[in-house]
Amino acid sequence: MTEIETSEFLKTLAEKYENADFLLSDPSMFLRRYERLSDREVCAFSAAMLSFGNRKQFLPKIERLCSLAKDSFAAWILKGSYRTDLLPESGNPKEKFYRFYSYEDMYDFFDELRQILTISGSLGTFFRQSIEYGYTQMPLDEMISQCFPNSKIVSKGKNSANKRIHMFLRWMVRRNSPVDLGIWTWVKPSELIIPMDTHVLNESIKLGLLPENAKADRKNAVVLTARLKEIWPEDPCKGDFALFGLGVDS
């Protein structure tokens, strides 16, 4: 396909997949589970960090957390209730909760979330103030990683695509979407980096957006985002729906 044909093809796919039905089988289904902003942020972040592997396996794990948190995910974290509610059947905290992560890993993750909520009341407020008050000059995704130094569940590494963090940011930042919330108005959608996973990578290579030897790393996520900005200058992550949807359906 020519560049123009590829552009029109992606636009068509994005419109096809970015709709309310996308929420039916995607972790984004949890985004509107709560009304309060602080609850939505914490639920979304927890859901994003567990969103890898088989959906039939990780969606029930996220559902379990929501069921335990009941009407306020943030309050559940602040009270430390996860340590008494989220219990392994064996009683051993080293028992696996999901894939590589144990119950102990989940406690470490929630402990650091609790520290942030205690300081600022919400994830968004904490990160926004850290940037506005000049506490850090690093990119937002890198800052998020650094704020969870003891959490294995939060991806780290300057060269990593950090797909789950960028998916979380897409949820928080993109406006006027039937899927994404757009509640972090202090970040521009044009500043987002596409969440790079195997589906997105493979389809990008097939369409000639990335070279055949490309890997799912930060460098190629930035390159792909730049290519998508040629189609959606103010909202490159709209292309995530096109590429991800195409990858899942192919």
Side-chain angles (χ1 to χ4, degrees):
M1 287 191 286
T2 66
E3 287 191 12
I4 294 177
E5 290 172 335
T6 299
S7 175
E8 292 304 313
F9 180 56
L10 289 172
K11 287 179 181 179
T12 300
L13 289 176
E15 293 303 321
K16 174 183 176 181
Y17 290 110
E18 189 182 9
N19 56 57
D21 288 342
F22 190 87
L23 299 167
L24 298 178
S25 59
D26 187 76
S28 55
M29 69 171 66
F30 297 99
L31 298 185
R32 292 165 177 77
R33 185 67 61 92
Y34 300 93
E35 293 297 325
R36 288 185 291 271
L37 182 144
S38 59
D39 291 324
R40 284 186 168 185
E41 290 174 340
V42 174
C43 177
F45 192 59
S46 301
M49 294 306 103
L50 289 171
S51 295
F52 67 97
N54 191 313
R55 292 187 183 196
K56 292 181 179 179
Q57 294 178 345
F58 70 70
L59 291 177
K61 298 296 182 182
I62 301 169
E63 183 65 55
R64 181 182 175 190
L65 296 180
C66 291
S67 297
L68 293 174
K70 297 179 181 178
D71 61 342
S72 178
F73 211 123
W76 186 66
I77 298 296
L78 277 168
K79 292 176 183 177
S81 300
Y82 50 88
R83 286 193 171 268
T84 55
D85 294 343
L86 185 63
L87 300 174
E89 291 184 8
S90 66
N92 182 356
K94 295 188 181 298
E95 178 184 320
K96 293 299 181 185
F97 175 73
Y98 176 60
R99 295 286 292 272
F100 323 117
Y101 304 127
S102 66
Y103 281 79
E104 194 171 63
D105 293 332
M106 296 302 296
Y107 300 153
D108 289 341
F109 170 63
F110 288 139
D111 282 346
E112 292 186 317
L113 263 179
R114 187 183 185 188
Q115 291 176 8
I116 291 174
L117 294 177
T118 300
I119 293 169
S120 299
S122 80
L123 280 174
T125 299
F126 181 83
F127 296 135
R128 176 176 56 79
Q129 291 179 342
S130 295
I131 293 173
E132 290 180 352
Y133 296 160
Y135 296 145
T136 179
Q137 299 298 319
M138 66 180 64
L140 181 54
D141 64 305
E142 191 175 326
M143 180 181 71
I144 291 174
S145 291
Q146 294 299 315
C147 286
F148 293 85
N150 299 318
S151 298
K152 295 179 182 179
I153 191 174
V154 180
S155 55
K156 300 173 179 67
K158 292 183 179 181
N159 296 323
S160 170
N162 289 337
K163 181 255 183 179
R164 287 171 283 165
I165 289 179
H166 288 296
M167 181 173 67
F168 167 71
L169 289 173
R170 197 203 81 201
W171 290 346
M172 295 295 100
V173 174
R174 289 191 67 251
R175 330 295 198 236
N176 305 314
S177 171
V179 179
D180 302 324
L181 292 176
I183 55 180
W184 285 9
T185 56
W186 47 277
V187 182
K188 296 178 181 178
S190 60
E191 297 173 352
L192 295 174
I193 295 175
I194 192 165
M196 174 76 79
D197 65 4
T198 302
H199 293 302
V200 170
L201 175 67
N202 290 341
E203 296 308 320
S204 298
I205 292 172
K206 290 177 185 177
L207 291 171
L209 299 172
L210 290 173
E212 290 187 8
N213 62 347
K215 298 179 181 179
D217 55 21
R218 182 181 180 85
K219 175 185 175 182
N220 284 308
V222 171
V223 170
L224 177 58
T225 302
R227 295 296 306 273
L228 294 173
K229 271 190 175 183
E230 297 172 5
I231 304 172
W232 297 281
E234 302 302 320
D235 186 19
C237 280
K238 189 175 182 68
D240 188 29
F241 290 93
L243 293 169
F244 182 81
L246 183 61
V248 170
D249 280 354
S250 62

